[in-house]
Amino acid sequence: MKFATVAVIWSLADCNRYLYYLFKNHPLTAALRYNSFILLYPIGVFGEMMLINDYVNRHTELSETMIVIIRGIQIAIVFGLVFLYTYMLKMRSKYYAKNGGFLNSLLVKPQ
């Protein structure tokens, strides 16, 4: 169940991103791109951490060295989340500054 949750969360995040790339000028895809990550990224990383912890707990034959390596990977994932999250927050604020805020950005502008 945890794997399915992680797969669905990351799939939703990727779908939002690719829809934005396909329809960059549409306000709905931009709103999804610049708002959905706020929930999807932390939930996805939390799910990944739970999966990794389940793996370590089920495989008692892992050496201490391997467990340290796995924990190091988990730390790297958290740092990656912080980097990516702050980057997306900056991109979000740039987008909304350019388009007059959240509500104004949702209005379809005549072409």
Side-chain angles (χ1 to χ4, degrees):
M1 183 66 177
K2 291 175 188 169
F3 178 78
T5 303
V6 171
V8 167
I9 292 295
W10 285 136
S11 296
L12 285 172
D14 282 344
C15 286
N16 291 338
R17 183 176 67 203
Y18 294 130
L19 279 172
Y20 174 73
Y21 292 147
L22 283 173
F23 306 107
K24 219 171 199 171
N25 293 330
H26 197 281
L28 183 59
T29 60
L32 282 173
R33 172 76 172 137
Y34 292 117
N35 290 299
S36 64
F37 80 92
I38 293 171
L39 288 176
L40 293 177
Y41 286 9
I43 293 170
V45 169
F46 179 74
E48 285 182 2
M49 294 300 158
M50 290 182 63
L51 284 173
I52 293 170
N53 286 335
D54 283 352
Y55 177 83
V56 170
N57 291 337
R58 275 185 285 145
H59 292 82
T60 56
E61 73 279 359
L62 291 173
S63 68
E64 282 297 316
T65 305
M66 195 63 182
I67 293 173
V68 168
I69 291 170
I70 291 171
R71 298 301 183 212
I73 292 169
Q74 284 183 305
I75 291 169
I77 290 171
V78 171
F79 279 118
L81 170 68
V82 171
F83 174 78
L84 186 58
Y85 204 78
T86 56
Y87 172 77
M88 286 301 297
L89 286 173
K90 288 177 191 172
M91 296 301 294
R92 180 179 188 260
S93 64
K94 280 184 189 178
Y95 175 79
Y96 286 131
K98 178 181 164 190
N99 291 296
F102 176 71
L103 291 176
N104 285 338
S105 70
L106 290 176
L107 300 173
V108 178
K109 298 168 185 78
Q111 299 293 331

